Structure formats: structure tokens, C-alpha cells
Amino acid sequence: MQLNTHLQQMKDGYLFTEIINRTKAYQTEHPDAKVLRLGVGDITRPLPQPIVEAMHRAVEEMGNPDTFRGYGLENGYAWLRQAIIDNDYTPRGIRLDLDEVFISDGAGSDLGNLSELFDTKNTVAILDPAYPAYEDTSMMAGRPIEYLPCTAENNFVPELPKTHVDIIYLCYPNNPIGTVLTREQMTQWVRYAQQHKSVIIFDSAYEAFIQSPDIPHSIYEIEGAQEVAIEVRSFSKTAGFTGVRCGYTIVPKATGLQAMWLRRQCTKYNGTSYISQRGALATYTPEGKATIQTNIAYYQQTAQVLLKGLRELGYEVYGGVHAPYIWCRVPQGYDSWSFFDHLLHTCQIVCTPGAGFGPTGEGFVRFSAFSNRKDVEEALKRMKTLA
Ligand SMILES: *Cc1c(COP(=O)(O)O)cnc(C)c1O
């Protein structure tokens, strides 16, 4: 056999592993220090009760001979796909067929797997900085990559690619910068993809954090987007499913890709757990919606406290309004990792070095509002001593 040399040559030392290692090393040397974690992009509030109850009922059904279920459909139960259409798309004037919705075990898998639909010679456009999955999966397949820098100079709005690209990964609301695209900006991308016969893989894992009615929640709010865009969503950040695993991907028939994706999934994916799908369905009940809204509001308010606090301390900060992330320029004399170390060693605060999201992330760190409010307040107090 020959190895996949693209994968073999990839650097290891995944960003979050390095953060964990440095944090552990510090904690071992200073066992009494109370380390405040403002870095990790994971949910901290427990699953809402209506979801827990729905999953309990599903487990009971599985243990009863009359209601036990084995394999479900590879693309998910119709009741969940219908609820997604009725709640997330129809109210925004978007019409989708039931078989354009594919239930997944989360956005992470599909963001990688979707690339199997395309030739490995296809060029890929990726935002820089970006969530690491897009670059990693493109590299594993050996695809040429064009990076689209998002800098303070361009207001963190990437310019359209100068040359032709085939596959475009967009993530809005953005991780790690926390910014959004306006309707006009999103329209430009759809027009580019139409002109170039490219495909947009639109990651909207943070859609629930959008606070303004002017910001599109779905790329399909843009006319013509159903011809060129696949939308990937998740219950992870919306409803606290990071450890439960459930998401969904929209592959419109107008892309010409729906049948191929179904074919691929039927071979390689045997469906999302019935229990997870019952939990996901409960997010659309009135009680489910109410508790989720409470959790999102908590994170949004935490982001506001963090944003305001950092600004008052004199930091240059971005994002944090329609997303749980704040992008913060590091003070003069530091780079991403040296400021990470400095914050850890002097304030016992863990952030995420921006350089880990791509070369343009150098000079920034990401703070996450998926934190306890008290920890955020304590962190801001400790950071006063730095200023
Ligand atoms: C967390 C995250 C995901 C992954 O979500 P899962 O559904 O848990 O796999 C996808 N995209 C972005 C940008 C994320 O931050």
C-alpha cells in the first residue's frame, strides 16, 4: 500500500491540543491557581430539560419490544426534517423539499465529508483565519487552497477570490472572528459562485446568535443561492449538543448534488441516533425553544460583558455581537502565543491564540463567551493588573 502523502505530511499539534498541554503544564506547576477558561469553543450550560426528557422517553422506547427501533433512514427521520423546514426555513420564505434535508451527527463530519463530492483537483477558497476543519480536509485531499485574508484593514470582510475557485467555505456568524455578512455581502458571494460555477459550503453553526433582523440567518435568503450553496448547521452551539451529536445539512436539488450526496450517505453513513434525533426534535417545541433562548441570551450577555470590559481596558476588539466569540488584538510587543502565555502566567486566563486559525490570525487572540459569567467578571478584574 501507499500512504495518503497529503495526510502524512500534515503537521500535528492541533491548536486545541497545544492549548490543553500548556494549560496542564501551568496547572501542574501551580496546583492552587484557579485557571479561568475563556478559550474553548464548547458549550458550558447543560442540556435544556425539555431535551433531556425527550431523550429519556426515546431511551425507554428503545428498551420496549413494542417501540424498539433499529436503523432509521440514512438521511434522518422525516418528522425531524419536516420540523427543520417548518421552523428554520419556511418562516424566512425559503422553500425546501423534505429530501433536501440530511440529518447528520453534527456539522464537523459533513463539513469534511462533503468534499468527497468534488474532484481533488478543485481549488478551494478558505477564509484566513478560519475554523481549522476546512483547511485540514482540503489538505488531506491534496487540493490547492486560496486563502482569503480577513484583516482589520478590510473590516474582516474577505474580498472575492481574484482567480477562479471551485469550492468556497464560508462561515457566518464567523468563528473565530465573531463577525457576520450583510445581505449585500452575501449576495456578492452567491453571484460569484453563479458566474464561476463554484459551490459554496456555508457553515452556519452560530446562526442562533444573530441578533439583528437585517442579517441573513440562511444563505438561501439570497435569491439564486439554492443553485450554488450547501448549508451546514448544527444543534451543537444552538442547543448544547456538542456531546450529544446532531446537525443537518441542506443540499438543494438545484445544486445538482442532492442525489450524489444521498448516494454517498447511504453507503458511508448509517444514520444519526434515534435518541439524538428525538432530542433535536424537542428543540422545536415551545418549551424547548424557550429554554434554548434563555441559554443563548445568557451567552450573548456574557459576550457583551466581555466585549465592554475588554474595550474599557483599552483592547481593540471585534465580533461578539452576533456570535459568542470576540477577536482581540494583542498588545504591542506580543504575538498570539506569547500573549496567550502571558495571560496564562500572570492572570491564569486561557484564551485561544489567533495564529492557530491561520497566518492572518497572528497578532490576535479569541475569547469565548461560552463561559461562566462569574469567570468572565473575575478575568476582567485580573486583566486590570496587566493594563
Ligand atoms: C463547533 C463548530 C462546528 C462543529 O459543530 P458540530 O456540529 O459539533 O460538529 C462547525 N463549525 C464551526 C464554525 C464550529 O465552531
Side-chain angles (χ1 to χ4, degrees):
M1 62 83 182
Q2 276 80 43
L3 295 173
N4 175 345
T5 49
H6 305 296
L7 178 51
Q8 187 194 18
Q9 285 161 11
M10 282 174 69
K11 290 179 291 187
D12 46 38
Y14 185 62
L15 172 64
F16 291 103
T17 317
E18 183 61 21
I19 293 172
I20 289 166
N21 291 344
R22 292 195 192 197
T23 310
K24 266 200 194 131
Y26 179 82
Q27 193 86 73
T28 311
E29 278 171 44
H30 307 87
D32 297 331
K34 177 165 168 26
V35 174
L36 304 172
R37 283 160 220 282
L38 306 191
V40 189
D42 196 353
I43 294 293
T44 46
R45 289 166 73 80
L47 277 180
Q49 207 51 38
I51 296 169
V52 173
E53 286 161 17
M55 290 172 68
H56 271 303
R57 287 193 296 273
V59 172
E60 290 303 327
E61 282 178 51
M62 293 299 252
N64 180 327
D66 299 328
T67 50
F68 169 77
R69 288 154 196 261
Y71 289 121
L73 287 174
E74 288 85 352
N75 53 349
Y77 285 97
W79 36 258
L80 180 55
R81 287 183 283 139
Q82 191 64 54
I84 287 165
I85 292 175
D86 293 347
N87 288 278
D88 294 341
Y89 291 100
T90 309
R92 300 191 184 282
I94 298 161
R95 293 177 54 158
L96 293 172
D97 282 352
L98 211 49
D99 48 6
E100 294 173 316
V101 183
F102 293 78
I103 308 301
S104 68
D105 63 356
S109 320
D110 278 7
L111 285 167
N113 294 337
L114 281 162
S115 67
E116 287 183 22
L117 293 174
F118 311 107
D119 193 276
T120 50
K121 287 193 276 302
N122 279 182
T123 47
V124 185
I126 294 173
L127 306 180
D128 172 19
Y131 180 68
Y134 322 131
E135 184 189 34
D136 283 358
T137 45
S138 305
M139 283 177 128
M140 283 176 200
R143 291 198 170 90
I145 300 175
E146 176 170 342
Y147 296 92
L148 308 173
C150 302
T151 62
E153 289 66 44
N154 63 18
N155 242 329
F156 300 103
V157 180
E159 284 170 34
L160 296 174
K162 299 220 170 23
T163 54
H164 170 86
V165 297
D166 302 296
I167 304 168
I168 301 159
Y169 282 98
L170 293 179
C171 172
Y172 288 100
N174 186 265
N175 177 11
I177 303 183
T179 49
V180 285
L181 287 188
T182 63
R183 200 167 297 274
E184 293 68 38
Q185 290 161 345
M186 215 179 270
T187 303
Q188 289 189 348
W189 282 100
V190 172
R191 299 294 167 258
Y192 174 95
Q194 287 173 320
Q195 279 158 18
H196 285 260
K197 302 206 180 314
S198 325
V199 64
I200 297 172
I201 299 179
F202 191 78
D203 179 352
S204 65
Y206 297 94
E207 167 273 330
F209 289 82
I210 294 173
Q211 308 213 38
S212 156
D214 304 335
I215 306 296
H217 283 246
S218 163
I219 196 166
Y220 304 125
E221 289 180 46
I222 310 301
E223 183 256 313
Q226 292 205 19
E227 300 156 23
V228 294
I230 294 173
E231 183 161 279
V232 181
R233 286 202 186 178
S234 173
F235 293 97
S236 282
K237 314 296 166 44
T238 313
F241 274 52
T242 50
V244 175
R245 311 307 304 146
C246 193
Y248 57 92
T249 294
I250 309 296
V251 187
K253 287 178 188 153
T255 57
L257 300 166
Q258 186 272 348
M260 255 176 95
W261 181 242
L262 181 62
R263 182 72 184 80
R264 188 267 175 211
Q265 288 298 82
C266 287
T267 301
K268 293 203 185 182
Y269 187 63
N270 272 347
T272 307
S273 145
Y274 174 69
I275 299 158
S276 296
Q277 292 191 64
R278 278 292 176 199
L281 185 69
T283 67
Y284 295 113
T285 61
E287 311 78 55
K289 281 182 184 170
T291 46
I292 287 167
Q293 199 39 55
T294 308
N295 282 353
I296 301 269
Y298 178 87
Y299 295 129
Q300 282 169 332
Q301 285 154 17
T302 308
Q304 286 317 295
V305 172
L306 197 50
L307 196 60
K308 188 161 166 285
L310 289 168
R311 230 173 235 149
E312 280 169 9
L313 292 173
Y315 289 93
E316 185 185 329
V317 283
Y318 303 93
V321 179
H322 306 292
Y325 299 121
I326 291 166
W327 194 238
C328 176
R329 195 187 288 281
V330 303
Q332 284 245 314
Y334 291 97
D335 64 16
S336 289
W337 278 105
S338 65
F339 188 61
F340 169 90
D341 286 331
H342 184 56
L343 265 190
L344 177 61
H345 288 261
T346 55
C347 297
Q348 297 77 49
I349 294 170
V350 181
C351 62
T352 312
F357 296 103
T360 304
E362 183 52 89
F364 289 86
V365 293
R366 187 192 74 177
F367 289 103
S368 163
F370 288 135
S371 316
N372 192 301
R373 184 79 46 83
K374 282 213 168 59
D375 285 359
V376 166
E377 283 159 1
E378 171 66 21
L380 289 167
K381 213 178 280 169
R382 291 185 191 175
M383 283 176 78
K384 267 202 186 120
T385 61
L386 276 185

PDB file of all heavy atoms in Angstrom, residues 106-109 111 131 134 171 175 203 205-206 234 236-237 242 245 325, ligand 1:
ATOM      1  N   GLY A 106     -23.633  15.952  13.289  1.00  0.00           N
ATOM      2  CA  GLY A 106     -23.010  17.234  13.602  1.00  0.00           C
ATOM      3  C   GLY A 106     -22.386  17.831  12.358  1.00  0.00           C
ATOM      4  O   GLY A 106     -22.167  17.145  11.355  1.00  0.00           O
ATOM      5  N   ALA A 107     -22.102  19.116  12.448  1.00  0.00           N
ATOM      6  CA  ALA A 107     -21.568  19.830  11.292  1.00  0.00           C
ATOM      7  C   ALA A 107     -20.155  19.370  10.952  1.00  0.00           C
ATOM      8  O   ALA A 107     -19.770  19.310   9.781  1.00  0.00           O
ATOM      9  CB  ALA A 107     -21.564  21.327  11.575  1.00  0.00           C
ATOM     10  N   GLY A 108     -19.385  19.034  11.975  1.00  0.00           N
ATOM     11  CA  GLY A 108     -17.985  18.682  11.774  1.00  0.00           C
ATOM     12  C   GLY A 108     -17.799  17.594  10.724  1.00  0.00           C
ATOM     13  O   GLY A 108     -16.990  17.748   9.798  1.00  0.00           O
ATOM     14  N   SER A 109     -18.551  16.493  10.841  1.00  0.00           N
ATOM     15  CA  SER A 109     -18.387  15.382   9.898  1.00  0.00           C
ATOM     16  C   SER A 109     -18.751  15.812   8.480  1.00  0.00           C
ATOM     17  O   SER A 109     -18.012  15.558   7.536  1.00  0.00           O
ATOM     18  CB  SER A 109     -19.280  14.201  10.286  1.00  0.00           C
ATOM     19  OG  SER A 109     -19.311  14.014  11.665  1.00  0.00           O
ATOM     20  N   LEU A 111     -18.906  18.780   7.082  1.00  0.00           N
ATOM     21  CA  LEU A 111     -18.007  19.791   6.505  1.00  0.00           C
ATOM     22  C   LEU A 111     -16.812  19.110   5.841  1.00  0.00           C
ATOM     23  O   LEU A 111     -16.322  19.558   4.807  1.00  0.00           O
ATOM     24  CB  LEU A 111     -17.524  20.765   7.576  1.00  0.00           C
ATOM     25  CG  LEU A 111     -18.570  21.783   8.031  1.00  0.00           C
ATOM     26  CD1 LEU A 111     -18.116  22.493   9.293  1.00  0.00           C
ATOM     27  CD2 LEU A 111     -18.877  22.785   6.927  1.00  0.00           C
ATOM     28  N   TYR A 131     -12.011  28.399  11.111  1.00  0.00           N
ATOM     29  CA  TYR A 131     -12.194  27.126  11.817  1.00  0.00           C
ATOM     30  C   TYR A 131     -11.339  26.084  11.069  1.00  0.00           C
ATOM     31  O   TYR A 131     -11.411  26.000   9.835  1.00  0.00           O
ATOM     32  CB  TYR A 131     -13.687  26.809  11.745  1.00  0.00           C
ATOM     33  CG  TYR A 131     -14.160  25.554  12.383  1.00  0.00           C
ATOM     34  CD1 TYR A 131     -14.128  25.390  13.757  1.00  0.00           C
ATOM     35  CD2 TYR A 131     -14.701  24.524  11.599  1.00  0.00           C
ATOM     36  CE1 TYR A 131     -14.604  24.229  14.337  1.00  0.00           C
ATOM     37  CE2 TYR A 131     -15.187  23.364  12.176  1.00  0.00           C
ATOM     38  CZ  TYR A 131     -15.134  23.219  13.539  1.00  0.00           C
ATOM     39  OH  TYR A 131     -15.618  22.074  14.114  1.00  0.00           O
ATOM     40  N   TYR A 134     -11.893  23.242   7.521  1.00  0.00           N
ATOM     41  CA  TYR A 134     -11.940  23.455   6.063  1.00  0.00           C
ATOM     42  C   TYR A 134     -10.563  23.254   5.445  1.00  0.00           C
ATOM     43  O   TYR A 134     -10.422  22.600   4.412  1.00  0.00           O
ATOM     44  CB  TYR A 134     -12.439  24.871   5.722  1.00  0.00           C
ATOM     45  CG  TYR A 134     -13.535  25.402   6.614  1.00  0.00           C
ATOM     46  CD1 TYR A 134     -13.456  26.671   7.172  1.00  0.00           C
ATOM     47  CD2 TYR A 134     -14.657  24.627   6.890  1.00  0.00           C
ATOM     48  CE1 TYR A 134     -14.460  27.162   7.987  1.00  0.00           C
ATOM     49  CE2 TYR A 134     -15.659  25.107   7.715  1.00  0.00           C
ATOM     50  CZ  TYR A 134     -15.547  26.382   8.265  1.00  0.00           C
ATOM     51  OH  TYR A 134     -16.531  26.869   9.083  1.00  0.00           O
ATOM     52  N   CYS A 171     -18.192  30.839   6.654  1.00  0.00           N
ATOM     53  CA  CYS A 171     -18.697  30.539   7.987  1.00  0.00           C
ATOM     54  C   CYS A 171     -19.239  31.829   8.589  1.00  0.00           C
ATOM     55  O   CYS A 171     -18.471  32.731   8.924  1.00  0.00           O
ATOM     56  CB  CYS A 171     -17.561  29.980   8.846  1.00  0.00           C
ATOM     57  SG  CYS A 171     -17.993  29.788  10.584  1.00  0.00           S
ATOM     58  N   ASN A 175     -16.673  32.003  13.172  1.00  0.00           N
ATOM     59  CA  ASN A 175     -15.729  31.516  14.160  1.00  0.00           C
ATOM     60  C   ASN A 175     -14.376  31.528  13.441  1.00  0.00           C
ATOM     61  O   ASN A 175     -14.281  30.947  12.377  1.00  0.00           O
ATOM     62  CB  ASN A 175     -16.103  30.088  14.574  1.00  0.00           C
ATOM     63  CG  ASN A 175     -15.130  29.490  15.556  1.00  0.00           C
ATOM     64  OD1 ASN A 175     -14.283  30.179  16.086  1.00  0.00           O
ATOM     65  ND2 ASN A 175     -15.248  28.196  15.786  1.00  0.00           N
ATOM     66  N   ASP A 203     -21.238  27.324   6.386  1.00  0.00           N
ATOM     67  CA  ASP A 203     -21.288  26.798   7.749  1.00  0.00           C
ATOM     68  C   ASP A 203     -21.987  27.842   8.626  1.00  0.00           C
ATOM     69  O   ASP A 203     -21.443  28.918   8.866  1.00  0.00           O
ATOM     70  CB  ASP A 203     -19.847  26.556   8.213  1.00  0.00           C
ATOM     71  CG  ASP A 203     -19.750  26.016   9.645  1.00  0.00           C
ATOM     72  OD1 ASP A 203     -20.782  25.968  10.342  1.00  0.00           O
ATOM     73  OD2 ASP A 203     -18.625  25.650  10.056  1.00  0.00           O
ATOM     74  N   ALA A 205     -23.134  27.317  11.896  1.00  0.00           N
ATOM     75  CA  ALA A 205     -23.256  26.691  13.218  1.00  0.00           C
ATOM     76  C   ALA A 205     -23.722  27.682  14.290  1.00  0.00           C
ATOM     77  O   ALA A 205     -24.278  27.283  15.306  1.00  0.00           O
ATOM     78  CB  ALA A 205     -21.914  26.081  13.617  1.00  0.00           C
ATOM     79  N   TYR A 206     -23.492  28.995  14.053  1.00  0.00           N
ATOM     80  CA  TYR A 206     -23.825  30.005  15.079  1.00  0.00           C
ATOM     81  C   TYR A 206     -25.028  30.857  14.709  1.00  0.00           C
ATOM     82  O   TYR A 206     -25.222  31.938  15.257  1.00  0.00           O
ATOM     83  CB  TYR A 206     -22.591  30.892  15.343  1.00  0.00           C
ATOM     84  CG  TYR A 206     -21.467  30.071  15.903  1.00  0.00           C
ATOM     85  CD1 TYR A 206     -20.501  29.534  15.066  1.00  0.00           C
ATOM     86  CD2 TYR A 206     -21.417  29.770  17.257  1.00  0.00           C
ATOM     87  CE1 TYR A 206     -19.492  28.725  15.568  1.00  0.00           C
ATOM     88  CE2 TYR A 206     -20.413  28.972  17.767  1.00  0.00           C
ATOM     89  CZ  TYR A 206     -19.453  28.452  16.918  1.00  0.00           C
ATOM     90  OH  TYR A 206     -18.465  27.648  17.421  1.00  0.00           O
ATOM     91  N   SER A 234     -25.958  22.942  12.849  1.00  0.00           N
ATOM     92  CA  SER A 234     -25.705  22.034  13.955  1.00  0.00           C
ATOM     93  C   SER A 234     -26.567  22.410  15.150  1.00  0.00           C
ATOM     94  O   SER A 234     -26.870  23.579  15.354  1.00  0.00           O
ATOM     95  CB  SER A 234     -24.233  22.151  14.334  1.00  0.00           C
ATOM     96  OG  SER A 234     -23.972  21.421  15.491  1.00  0.00           O
ATOM     97  N   SER A 236     -25.300  21.795  17.968  1.00  0.00           N
ATOM     98  CA  SER A 236     -24.251  21.847  18.996  1.00  0.00           C
ATOM     99  C   SER A 236     -24.229  23.162  19.754  1.00  0.00           C
ATOM    100  O   SER A 236     -24.359  23.204  20.965  1.00  0.00           O
ATOM    101  CB  SER A 236     -22.877  21.626  18.360  1.00  0.00           C
ATOM    102  OG  SER A 236     -22.688  20.258  18.095  1.00  0.00           O
ATOM    103  N   LYS A 237     -24.013  24.260  19.030  1.00  0.00           N
ATOM    104  CA  LYS A 237     -23.829  25.547  19.680  1.00  0.00           C
ATOM    105  C   LYS A 237     -25.187  26.188  19.968  1.00  0.00           C
ATOM    106  O   LYS A 237     -25.315  27.026  20.840  1.00  0.00           O
ATOM    107  CB  LYS A 237     -22.966  26.463  18.823  1.00  0.00           C
ATOM    108  CG  LYS A 237     -21.713  25.803  18.243  1.00  0.00           C
ATOM    109  CD  LYS A 237     -20.721  25.356  19.312  1.00  0.00           C
ATOM    110  CE  LYS A 237     -19.638  24.409  18.796  1.00  0.00           C
ATOM    111  NZ  LYS A 237     -19.000  24.694  17.543  1.00  0.00           N
ATOM    112  N   THR A 242     -23.063  19.510  21.773  1.00  0.00           N
ATOM    113  CA  THR A 242     -21.687  19.152  21.390  1.00  0.00           C
ATOM    114  C   THR A 242     -21.355  17.710  21.792  1.00  0.00           C
ATOM    115  O   THR A 242     -20.625  17.030  21.081  1.00  0.00           O
ATOM    116  CB  THR A 242     -20.650  20.137  21.977  1.00  0.00           C
ATOM    117  OG1 THR A 242     -20.897  20.294  23.372  1.00  0.00           O
ATOM    118  CG2 THR A 242     -20.735  21.499  21.318  1.00  0.00           C
ATOM    119  N   ARG A 245     -24.463  15.038  19.700  1.00  0.00           N
ATOM    120  CA  ARG A 245     -24.200  14.884  18.279  1.00  0.00           C
ATOM    121  C   ARG A 245     -25.475  14.851  17.430  1.00  0.00           C
ATOM    122  O   ARG A 245     -26.148  13.828  17.300  1.00  0.00           O
ATOM    123  CB  ARG A 245     -23.364  13.621  17.965  1.00  0.00           C
ATOM    124  CG  ARG A 245     -22.126  13.414  18.798  1.00  0.00           C
ATOM    125  CD  ARG A 245     -21.196  14.605  18.815  1.00  0.00           C
ATOM    126  NE  ARG A 245     -20.787  15.003  17.485  1.00  0.00           N
ATOM    127  CZ  ARG A 245     -20.556  16.285  17.142  1.00  0.00           C
ATOM    128  NH1 ARG A 245     -20.673  17.259  18.019  1.00  0.00           N
ATOM    129  NH2 ARG A 245     -20.208  16.565  15.914  1.00  0.00           N
ATOM    130  N   TYR A 325     -18.043  34.809  20.018  1.00  0.00           N
ATOM    131  CA  TYR A 325     -16.591  34.991  20.006  1.00  0.00           C
ATOM    132  C   TYR A 325     -16.179  36.447  19.858  1.00  0.00           C
ATOM    133  O   TYR A 325     -16.814  37.205  19.132  1.00  0.00           O
ATOM    134  CB  TYR A 325     -15.964  34.176  18.866  1.00  0.00           C
ATOM    135  CG  TYR A 325     -16.229  32.710  19.012  1.00  0.00           C
ATOM    136  CD1 TYR A 325     -16.903  31.998  18.028  1.00  0.00           C
ATOM    137  CD2 TYR A 325     -15.835  32.022  20.165  1.00  0.00           C
ATOM    138  CE1 TYR A 325     -17.165  30.649  18.168  1.00  0.00           C
ATOM    139  CE2 TYR A 325     -16.099  30.665  20.314  1.00  0.00           C
ATOM    140  CZ  TYR A 325     -16.765  29.987  19.315  1.00  0.00           C
ATOM    141  OH  TYR A 325     -17.025  28.654  19.470  1.00  0.00           O
TER     142      TYR A 325
HETATM  143  C1  LIG B   1     -18.365  23.981  16.671  1.00  0.00           C
HETATM  144  C2  LIG B   1     -18.337  24.230  15.218  1.00  0.00           C
HETATM  145  C3  LIG B   1     -18.744  23.254  14.308  1.00  0.00           C
HETATM  146  C4  LIG B   1     -18.930  21.817  14.706  1.00  0.00           C
HETATM  147  O1  LIG B   1     -20.108  21.504  15.151  1.00  0.00           O
HETATM  148  P1  LIG B   1     -20.536  20.018  15.462  1.00  0.00           P
HETATM  149  O2  LIG B   1     -21.917  20.011  14.961  1.00  0.00           O
HETATM  150  O3  LIG B   1     -20.435  19.843  16.928  1.00  0.00           O
HETATM  151  O4  LIG B   1     -19.653  19.069  14.725  1.00  0.00           O
HETATM  152  C5  LIG B   1     -18.796  23.569  12.969  1.00  0.00           C
HETATM  153  N1  LIG B   1     -18.417  24.775  12.522  1.00  0.00           N
HETATM  154  C6  LIG B   1     -17.988  25.722  13.365  1.00  0.00           C
HETATM  155  C7  LIG B   1     -17.562  27.016  12.810  1.00  0.00           C
HETATM  156  C8  LIG B   1     -17.922  25.474  14.727  1.00  0.00           C
HETATM  157  O5  LIG B   1     -17.443  26.408  15.535  1.00  0.00           O
END
